[in-house]
Amino acid sequence: MFVRKDDTVMVVAGKERGKTGKVIRVVPKKSRVFIERVNLVKRHSKPRSAQQPGGIVEKEASIHVSNVMIMCDPCNAPVRIGHKVLEDGEKVRVCRRCGQSVG
């Protein structure tokens, strides 16, 4: 997958279109990502103990990876990602727009 944890991404499709946030969690088997404060859903939780009371909890739901694009810092825009192998053999992700390495 081209998205990793702690990447800044923008949602480009769906009801949350246009929102940006940091990737909290990546689920490669299902091609889904969790983004901080994006696609919030309400879940009802039972009280587990005195320290964990019950109630309605807001938490992030997953978004399919095809609906997000990585934000490039120099471009300040959502961009497509390419890969490049450096002279020392290290493989890096690069911005298709400006050519700078991403994250």
Side-chain angles (χ1 to χ4, degrees):
M1 285 182 49
F2 64 93
V3 178
R4 295 181 190 158
K5 185 178 176 180
D6 294 329
D7 280 345
T8 303
V9 295
M10 177 182 272
V11 180
V12 294
K15 65 176 184 172
E16 303 287 330
R17 179 174 48 239
K19 292 186 180 180
T20 60
K22 193 168 84 168
V23 175
I24 301 170
R25 198 170 108 207
V26 178
V27 186
K29 282 190 176 181
K30 294 186 176 183
S31 299
R32 299 188 83 79
V33 292
F34 290 82
I35 304 169
E36 193 172 59
R37 304 298 299 160
V38 175
N39 198 21
L40 292 174
V41 293
K42 293 185 178 185
R43 291 285 176 251
H44 297 262
S45 67
K46 270 183 159 180
R48 299 288 174 199
S49 65
Q51 289 80 22
Q52 286 185 326
I56 300 173
V57 178
E58 271 196 338
K59 60 188 228 178
E60 292 90 359
S62 65
I63 296 178
H64 197 270
V65 74
S66 66
N67 295 332
V68 300
M69 289 180 82
I70 293 182
M71 293 291 289
C72 177
D73 291 331
C75 298
N76 197 22
V79 294
R80 290 182 297 142
I81 295 297
H83 292 86
K84 186 186 285 186
V85 178
L86 301 177
E87 292 80 26
D88 61 350
E90 184 183 3
K91 190 175 178 183
V92 294
R93 300 179 298 164
V94 295
C95 170
R96 288 286 190 185
R97 195 179 274 195
C98 67
Q100 297 287 321
S101 67
V102 176

